[in-house]
Amino acid sequence: MSPQAPTLSPLALQGRAQTQLALGVLLVLSLAPTVADWVRGDFQGAGGRIVGAVLTALVLWQVYRGATWALYLTVVLSVLGGLGLMLLSGLNGFKVQTLILFAVGAGFAVSGLALYSQQAIRAFLEGQRGHR
């Protein structure tokens, strides 16, 4: 007899897409500098960057599965890192790079806050936690 697929509430089903979006944004923003360096041909420290990328993906996967520790770790790091990047971008003067750094910082902060504050995401993660 095969196990039945878990049934989620309509709010949790809506939260699945929002959770995937928030986690996807965090993953893309965290991997973008590494990919940009590799496209330019800079492979210095590639081993450490690969380990960091794998650890990031594993923690985000744990968030998707509903692990509370991973959720809180992700929220804290993304919000603090995003706010720090937004503040430090102002030290660069007013250039295009400043706006890009500010936007990336805002992306981190907003995605991290969405994981914690969006009701649909919380419902989905609670459902995931209940089915583990």
Side-chain angles (χ1 to χ4, degrees):
M1 191 155 124
S2 66
Q4 291 183 342
T7 57
L8 297 173
S9 69
L11 183 63
L13 287 174
Q14 179 185 8
R16 178 185 303 178
Q18 293 176 3
T19 304
Q20 290 171 346
L21 177 65
L23 294 175
V25 166
L26 288 172
L27 185 64
V28 167
L29 290 177
S30 64
L31 296 180
T34 300
V35 172
D37 285 343
W38 289 351
V39 167
R40 287 186 302 192
D42 181 15
F43 294 100
Q44 186 175 6
R49 289 179 175 217
I50 290 172
V51 169
V54 169
L55 289 176
T56 300
L58 288 175
V59 169
L60 293 179
W61 175 249
Q62 289 299 315
V63 171
Y64 187 77
R65 290 186 60 222
T68 305
W69 67 269
L71 174 65
Y72 291 146
L73 178 68
T74 302
V75 169
V76 167
L77 290 177
S78 63
V79 170
L80 290 179
L83 291 175
L85 192 57
M86 289 167 58
L87 291 173
L88 290 176
S89 68
L91 299 176
N92 196 24
F94 190 74
K95 304 176 191 172
V96 173
Q97 293 89 349
T98 302
L99 296 176
I100 292 171
L101 289 175
F102 188 84
V104 169
F108 272 115
V110 168
S111 295
L113 287 174
L115 287 174
Y116 187 75
S117 64
Q118 285 292 325
Q119 191 68 19
I121 292 175
R122 296 289 287 182
F124 173 72
L125 293 177
E126 288 292 328
Q128 290 288 89
R129 192 172 304 123
H131 293 296
R132 286 194 314 154

